[in-house]
């Protein structure tokens, strides 16, 4: 290390006069690059998985010895999935003290919804519509991960998706670009904090760039097929928001767009991200995605894939081993200009510099911090708050909820009710297995009632993990009888049904989005003996709850809520927390309706009824989803009145104020997400029926009311137009303010030139 500092200091002194207008950071980086061989540059662009716990397919053979040698030769720039201060320090020591230039490694990991303290899966947390909370949970995740030696997370995943068949919807923030953009900013700021050189901040990574959420038929890794207006108006905004929030890395995606693999897509990576958006961080490929351009039929071999990827602007190669093995030859043969490597290496070194790794490459390796920060009670309390606010009340007939706290006999039924593992969700980083609070444990803390538990049926059997399919039980109903007996002799039945935590996430596409296994059959049997059923749904995606919506009086969407799941669910069911969640992704009536989303286009033959044969509808279900974007009930009621706008015309330089009075007309204090939607009636391209353009989460006591104001300015009217620019277009607009995207009542105004 001393050698590196001395030689750099000398270089500094000599060259500092030459380029005094460069910042110290850029001078340092330029000086370092000037010393690097082509092989060392290729090495900085090479990322390997730790030597265990891969999150993707691993190469065959004795790769570990080869990789250690490359590490010692300065041919590794980053590693992922190396866990723990001891391991990270050991590998960093090799890079810093045994290589020629001593350039530190950057260590990445999927810290998606927590590190040791597990927060709700991102799709759940997005249902809180609480940006401050989402920033706070990312901050805690960063504090824990950095305490354990890590300096980079592969999050936030900002893929917009409208397809519940795609298992990775659990990682995102749903179907809307406006909300998705605000959540992207909140999470980037949470992970990166105010100063990346602080020891409790980590680099964030906006992924997967781009269009991965539009995988055809919801089949993971599949091709996509959308036009460039969808790209710019729907898919890109959260990525641009992440750049505006200062995100320092991007990850590209497995899919093709415009029939080109994103990893080899020069236009989105160089023209848009690095060009138009002036992004000066770096892009890491997704796992093996450079090599995968061969099966895509876009590259003829590994050398060709490396050439295409580096030219397209992919700066770091995750687990293809193609940059480290092919770039030297490509540069020496003249197929690739060395300046492309210099640009990529400069970006990588820039982020390492901003982390402070050159000042102290071991700064993140503090075992005492690790011991004190990870899974602290304080962090767990934030996880509980996030879990409660992520729960969405979908139905509550006859005020079955909240439950009475005294003298009730309550049957709790379902394998997931007693499961301390599944509710941790997929992408669970370093949380201990079976460490969550179960629903049974949470409910038993309420001592005023008699609570009995019966499994009823196994949803799944055996161990579950990231790599293998969950084994679903389709045969064994032997526990139905005991569950029916428990239900028949109880006042209320809490049925906890849904997906096991690894039934959603990467590689978990499903063509059937019903309650899996024998759960629905059990539910129907229980209903025969007791109608007072509260269905608690645990899932990583919207499920088809159409039968349940007709036949079950109370339904709570409880996602996978993380470490404090059972406490959160119990506190909501007993009314100690009045549910305030609102869906950020539409729930379809059945899988045949997918993709279904609120900001749809009207078509030339809009349908309002299944009786209209020659209109754009189905013969068997309505076009509307079962539960819409923005929908979520409360134990209280809110009345909307006095809807006003300040003017019926506006110019690009003026503003309109839209306001509404919201009154709590019920008996409980409650929170309400008041939502503002706009509709651009006529555009140079067909425009959505409505678009979310603002929201405010308010809390009202019974009888209390509040006027909620929204400012409508030109930026809210802009879209990526036929002219391929972001602009607003004069004409008629409708403005809606309501409790969800079903709102119909609107005001009209005109944007004039
Ligand atoms: C996976 C995922 C990506 C993740 C990466 C590292 O294949 O697609 O989201 O960050 O590999 O685990």
């Amino acid at each position: 290390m001393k050698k590196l500092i001395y030689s750099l200091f000398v270089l500094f002194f000599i060259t500092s006069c030459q380029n005094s207008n460069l910042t110290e950071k850029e001078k340092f980086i330029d000086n370092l690059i000037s010393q690097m061989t082509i092989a060392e540059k290729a090495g900085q662009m090479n990322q390997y998985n730790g030597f265990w716990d891969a999150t993707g397919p691993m190469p065959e053979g004795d790769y570990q010895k080869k990789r250690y040698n490359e590490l010692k030769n300065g041919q590794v720039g980053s590693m992922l999935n190396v866990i723990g201060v001891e391991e990270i320090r050991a590998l960093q020591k090799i890079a810093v003290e045994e290589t020629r230039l001593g350039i530190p490694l950057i260590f990445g990991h999927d810290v998606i919804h927590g590190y040791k303290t597990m927060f709700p899966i991102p799709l759940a947390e997005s249902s809180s519509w609480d940006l401050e909370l989402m920033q706070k949970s990312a901050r805690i995740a960063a504090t824990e991960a950095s305490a354990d030696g890590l300096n980079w997370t592969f999050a936030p995943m900002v893929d917009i998706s409208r397809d519940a068949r795609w298992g990775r919807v659990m990682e995102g923030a749903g179907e809307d670009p406006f909300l998705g953009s605000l959540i992207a900013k909140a999470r980037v700021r949470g992970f990166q904090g105010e100063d990346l050189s602080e020891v409790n901040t980590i680099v964030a990574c906006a992924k997967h760039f781009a269009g991965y959420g539009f995988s055809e038929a919801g089949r993971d890794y599949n091709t996509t097929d959308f036009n460039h207006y969808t790209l710019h108006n729907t898919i890109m905004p959260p990525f641009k928001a992440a750049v505006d929030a200062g995100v320092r890395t991007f990850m590209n995606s497995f899919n093709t767009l415009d029939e080109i693999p994103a990893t080899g897509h020069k236009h989105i990576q160089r023209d848009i991200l690095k060009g138009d958006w002036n992004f000066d961080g770096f892009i890491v490929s997704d796992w093996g995605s450079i090599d995968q351009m061969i099966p895509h039929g876009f590259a003829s071999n590994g050398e060709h894939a490396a050439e295409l990827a580096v030219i397209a602007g992919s700066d770091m190669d995750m687990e293809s081993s193609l940059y480290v093995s092919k770039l030297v030859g490509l540069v020496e043969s003249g197929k690739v200009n060395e300046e492309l490597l210099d640009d990529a290496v400069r970006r990588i070194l820039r982020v390492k510099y901003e982390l402070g790794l050159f000042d102290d490459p071991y700064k993140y390796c503090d075992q005492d911090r690790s011991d004190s920060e990870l899974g602290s009670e304080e962090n767990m309390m934030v996880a509980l708050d996030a879990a409660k606010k992520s729960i969405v009340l979908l139905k509550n007939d006859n005020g079955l909820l909240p439950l009475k706290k005294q003298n009730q006999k309550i049957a709790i039924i379902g394998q997931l009710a007693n499961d301390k593992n599944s509710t941790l969700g997929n992408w669970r980083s370093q949380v201990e297995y079976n460490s969550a609070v179960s629903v049974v444990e949470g409910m038993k803390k309420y001592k005023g009632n008699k609570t009995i538990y019966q499994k009823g049926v196994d949803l799944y059997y055996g161990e579950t993990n990231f790599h293998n399919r969950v084994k679903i039980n389709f045969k064994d109903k032997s526990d139905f009888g005991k569950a029916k007996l428990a239900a028949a002799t109880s006042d209320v039945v809490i049925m906890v049904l849904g997906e096991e935590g690894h039934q959603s996430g990467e590689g978990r596409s499903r063509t059937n989005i019903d309650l899996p296994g024998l759960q629905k059959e059990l539910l129907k049997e229980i209903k025969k003996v007791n109608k007072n059923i509260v269905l608690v749904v645990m899932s990583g995606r919207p499920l088809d709850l159409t039968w349940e919506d007709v036949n079950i009086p109370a339904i709570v969407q409880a996602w996978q809520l993380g470490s404090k799941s059972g406490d959160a669910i119990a506190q909501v069911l007993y009314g100690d927390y009045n549910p305030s969640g609102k869906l950020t992704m539409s729930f379809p009536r059945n899988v045949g309706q997918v993709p279904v989303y609120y900001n749809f286009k009207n078509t030339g033959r809009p349908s309002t009824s299944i009786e209209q044969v020659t209109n754009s509808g189905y013969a068997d279900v309505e076009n509307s989803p079962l539960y819409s974007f923005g929908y979520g009930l409360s134990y209280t009621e809110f009345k909307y009145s006095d809807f006003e706008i300040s003017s019926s015309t506006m110019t690009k330089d003026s503003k309109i104020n839209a306001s509404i009075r919201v009154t709590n007309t019920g008996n409980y204090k409650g929170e309400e997400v008041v939502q503002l939607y706009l509709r651009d009636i006529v555009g140079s391209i067909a425009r959505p029926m409505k678009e979310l353009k603002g929201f405010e989460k308010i809390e009202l006591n019974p009888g209390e009311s509040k006027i909620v104001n929204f400012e409508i300015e030109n930026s809210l009217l802009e879209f990526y137009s036929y002219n391929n620019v972001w602009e607003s277009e004069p004409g008629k607009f409708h403005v809606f303010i309501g409790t969800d995207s079903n709102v119909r009542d609107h005001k009209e105004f005109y944007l004039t030139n």
Side-chain angles (χ1 to χ4, degrees):
M1 189 58 191
K2 289 190 181 67
K3 183 175 49 178
L4 169 63
I5 292 170
Y6 177 71
S7 57
L8 289 176
F9 178 77
V10 170
L11 271 167
F12 253 175
F13 186 76
I14 295 166
T15 54
S16 58
C17 314
Q18 293 163 353
N19 43 21
S20 56
N21 59 340
L22 281 180
T23 64
E24 289 312 311
K25 171 171 65 174
E26 298 307 320
K27 283 184 210 166
F28 176 90
I29 292 164
D30 284 349
N31 288 334
L32 189 46
I33 290 175
S34 68
Q35 300 177 65
M36 294 171 77
T37 65
I38 301 172
E40 287 165 335
K41 292 175 182 176
Q44 282 302 304
M45 299 163 70
N46 177 40
Q47 181 187 59
Y48 280 145
N49 191 72
F51 305 128
W52 67 90
D53 194 18
T55 51
M58 288 300 281
E60 300 301 320
D62 182 17
Y63 62 87
Q64 291 199 24
K65 190 165 182 303
K66 172 176 175 294
R67 291 184 168 191
Y68 263 112
N69 291 336
E70 286 172 334
L71 180 59
K72 288 177 182 169
N73 295 332
Q75 292 181 285
V76 182
S78 171
M79 295 189 76
L80 73 150
N81 297 333
V82 180
I83 299 304
V85 167
E86 191 181 341
E87 287 296 334
I88 288 174
R89 178 183 288 278
L91 290 164
Q92 189 70 297
K93 193 168 184 301
I94 296 172
V96 169
E97 299 180 22
E98 297 186 33
T99 65
R100 188 175 76 87
L101 290 171
I103 299 174
L105 297 167
I106 180 171
F107 290 90
H109 182 60
D110 295 282
V111 186
I112 306 297
H113 55 106
Y115 183 71
K116 199 78 173 178
T117 302
M118 212 40 49
F119 291 91
I121 57 172
L123 184 61
E125 206 177 57
S126 72
S127 306
S128 72
W129 294 55
D130 186 334
L131 300 173
E132 197 176 310
L133 173 70
M134 287 183 258
Q135 181 165 333
K136 190 172 183 182
S137 72
R139 182 89 296 277
I140 290 170
T143 302
E144 291 193 352
S146 57
D148 220 21
L150 292 163
N151 14 77
W152 181 19
T153 178
F154 305 128
M157 183 273 222
V158 301
D159 301 318
I160 296 291
S161 186
R162 302 157 163 174
D163 196 325
R165 294 168 296 184
W166 191 52
R168 300 198 75 164
V169 295
M170 56 78 63
E171 287 177 72
E175 67 194 45
D176 179 70
F178 178 88
L179 180 62
S181 298
L182 293 173
I183 291 174
K185 285 186 176 179
R187 303 198 78 215
V188 166
R189 289 176 180 140
F191 288 125
Q192 298 192 164
E194 295 299 318
D195 177 356
L196 266 182
S197 68
E198 292 291 331
V199 76
N200 67 353
T201 60
I202 59 176
V203 167
C205 179
K207 73 182 186 182
H208 304 78
F209 195 62
Y212 187 24
F214 279 62
S215 295
E216 201 165 81
R219 180 157 55 89
D220 211 347
Y221 316 111
N222 200 3
T223 190
T224 67
D225 190 357
F226 49 78
N227 62 48
H228 78 288
Y229 298 113
T230 299
L231 175 67
H232 286 282
N233 284 310
T234 303
I235 293 166
M236 285 301 204
F239 288 104
K240 178 62 169 59
V243 171
D244 294 344
V247 75
R248 300 306 292 135
T249 68
F250 264 57
M251 182 184 292
N252 55 39
S253 55
F254 292 119
N255 57 285
T256 56
L257 58 156
D258 313 318
E259 313 307 354
I260 295 172
T263 307
H265 203 293
K266 190 175 175 191
H267 177 60
I268 63 169
Q269 294 185 124
R270 288 202 183 278
D271 301 339
I272 296 176
L273 177 57
K274 296 177 176 179
D276 300 344
W277 297 354
N278 288 318
F279 174 68
D280 71 351
F282 70 87
I283 303 171
V284 63
S285 80
D286 202 340
W287 187 291
S289 66
I290 294 177
D291 186 51
Q292 288 156 26
M293 292 202 284
I294 300 169
H296 268 300
F298 190 70
S300 49
N301 56 38
E303 183 185 36
H304 187 205
E307 176 188 355
L308 291 169
V310 74
I311 288 170
S314 292
D315 300 306
M316 185 180 280
D317 168 10
M318 181 192 290
E319 273 297 339
S320 282
S321 305
L322 288 174
Y323 278 2
V324 70
S325 60
K326 304 297 182 189
L327 282 182
V328 173
L330 284 164
V331 171
E332 288 172 348
S333 67
K335 286 184 180 175
V336 166
N337 187 322
E338 187 171 356
E339 286 177 10
L340 293 184
L341 275 66
D342 291 348
D343 176 59
V345 172
R346 180 170 289 110
R347 292 167 178 273
I348 294 164
L349 296 179
R350 185 175 289 143
V351 175
K352 290 183 176 182
Y353 185 99
E354 290 163 3
L355 279 165
L357 288 173
F358 287 104
D359 294 334
D360 176 3
Y362 304 108
K363 61 187 280 191
Y364 289 85
C365 300
D366 176 346
Q367 193 59 53
D368 293 342
R369 264 192 73 218
S370 176
D371 296 341
S372 65
E373 280 289 351
L374 273 53
S376 70
E377 189 51 30
E378 183 187 352
N379 294 351
M380 287 292 179
M381 286 302 100
V382 179
L384 173 58
D385 187 46
K388 291 188 292 190
K389 291 176 176 175
S390 302
I391 291 172
V392 184
L393 179 60
L394 298 176
K395 186 180 178 189
N396 186 27
D397 283 358
N398 322 317
L400 184 56
L401 291 173
L403 301 171
K404 297 182 182 70
K405 291 185 177 181
Q406 301 295 332
N407 307 318
Q408 296 283 292
K409 189 174 177 188
I410 295 181
I412 303 175
I413 296 172
Q415 180 186 21
L416 294 178
N418 201 34
D419 191 320
K420 296 170 61 66
N421 196 47
S422 174
T423 193
L424 297 171
N426 211 334
W427 290 117
R428 56 178 59 186
S429 191
Q430 297 309 305
V431 71
E432 280 170 38
Y433 266 51
N434 295 313
S435 62
V437 177
S438 72
V439 173
V440 170
E441 289 169 333
M443 293 294 285
K444 285 188 178 294
K445 291 176 184 174
Y446 287 80
K447 307 293 185 189
N449 291 330
K450 181 174 175 17
T451 305
I452 54 171
Y453 169 70
Q454 281 295 335
K455 180 172 65 177
V457 72
D458 277 323
L459 157 62
Y460 70 96
Y461 52 91
E463 284 297 305
T464 64
N465 57 50
F466 179 88
H467 303 278
N468 302 315
R469 288 274 176 242
V470 178
K471 298 182 184 65
I472 301 297
N473 167 35
F474 289 105
K475 291 182 182 144
D476 180 358
K477 304 179 191 178
S478 55
D479 287 320
F480 270 37
K482 283 187 278 185
K484 287 179 76 172
L485 180 59
T489 56
S490 296
D491 298 301
V492 182
V493 183
I494 311 295
M495 296 282 295
V496 183
L497 308 173
E499 291 182 318
E500 197 281 332
H502 294 90
Q503 284 189 270
S504 56
E506 183 176 356
R508 265 65 174 197
S509 298
R510 294 177 63 204
T511 61
N512 176 334
I513 55 173
D514 291 349
L515 285 172
L518 296 169
Q519 297 179 107
K520 188 183 276 194
E521 192 173 335
L522 172 68
L523 179 59
K524 291 179 177 178
E525 285 303 308
I526 296 298
K527 183 171 180 282
K528 290 175 184 172
V529 297
N530 192 328
K531 291 185 174 23
N532 287 335
I533 297 174
V534 176
L535 172 60
V536 176
V537 180
M538 289 187 171
S539 66
R541 73 181 86 215
L543 296 180
D544 171 353
L545 300 175
T546 297
W547 182 88
E548 293 77 3
D549 183 61
V550 171
N551 293 285
I552 304 300
I555 303 174
V556 173
Q557 176 64 25
W559 309 106
Q560 281 127 18
L561 294 170
S563 299
K564 303 297 275 184
S565 174
D567 285 336
I569 292 169
Q571 290 180 27
V572 164
L573 296 186
Y574 275 111
D576 285 345
Y577 180 76
N578 182 358
S580 63
K582 298 276 188 176
L583 297 177
T584 60
M585 192 170 175
S586 307
F587 275 52
R589 296 179 184 279
N590 61 50
V591 72
Q593 210 182 21
V594 171
V596 61
Y597 46 97
Y598 88 94
N599 42 4
F600 61 90
K601 306 293 189 325
N602 201 24
T603 77
R605 293 194 174 194
S607 168
T608 54
S609 155
I610 59 178
E611 298 311 318
Q612 296 170 347
V613 175
T614 53
N615 281 29
S616 179
Y618 303 99
D620 51 356
V621 297
E622 292 176 41
N623 284 357
S624 61
L626 178 66
Y627 303 121
S628 300
F629 174 85
Y631 172 81
L633 299 177
S634 170
Y635 293 147
T636 194
E637 287 81 39
F638 296 102
K639 187 180 80 173
Y640 285 69
S641 60
D642 307 339
F643 179 18
E644 292 175 3
I645 58 174
S646 57
S647 168
S648 58
T649 61
M650 71 177 269
T651 66
K652 293 190 178 186
D653 306 318
S654 70
K655 296 173 184 176
I656 285 179
N657 184 65
S659 65
I660 201 157
R661 176 183 295 278
V662 183
T663 304
N664 180 344
T665 55
N667 304 317
Y668 292 88
K669 180 171 78 169
E671 295 157 284
E672 169 71 340
V673 181
V674 183
Q675 300 154 46
L676 169 77
Y677 295 91
L678 294 181
R679 181 186 176 188
D680 184 351
I681 304 299
V682 177
S684 55
I685 57 173
R687 306 284 291 117
M689 289 299 283
K690 53 169 70 100
E691 297 174 285
L692 180 73
K693 293 295 182 182
F695 62 88
E696 184 178 341
K697 188 164 189 175
I698 61 173
E699 184 175 65
L700 295 173
N701 291 311
E704 186 182 5
S705 73
K706 178 178 180 182
I707 301 283
V708 178
N709 287 285
F710 295 100
E711 262 194 2
I712 299 170
E713 56 179 15
N714 190 56
S715 65
L716 294 184
L717 310 185
E718 290 180 340
F719 67 104
Y720 192 81
S721 74
Y722 183 74
N723 303 319
N724 296 320
V725 292
W726 279 89
E727 61 181 344
S728 59
E729 296 175 343
K732 186 195 301 185
F733 288 80
H734 286 172
V735 52
F736 309 77
I737 302 179
T739 186
D740 60 42
S741 61
N742 290 312
V743 54
R744 291 278 176 275
D745 183 26
H746 64 269
K747 301 283 182 196
E748 191 165 281
F749 70 88
Y750 284 79
L751 176 67
T752 60
N753 279 323

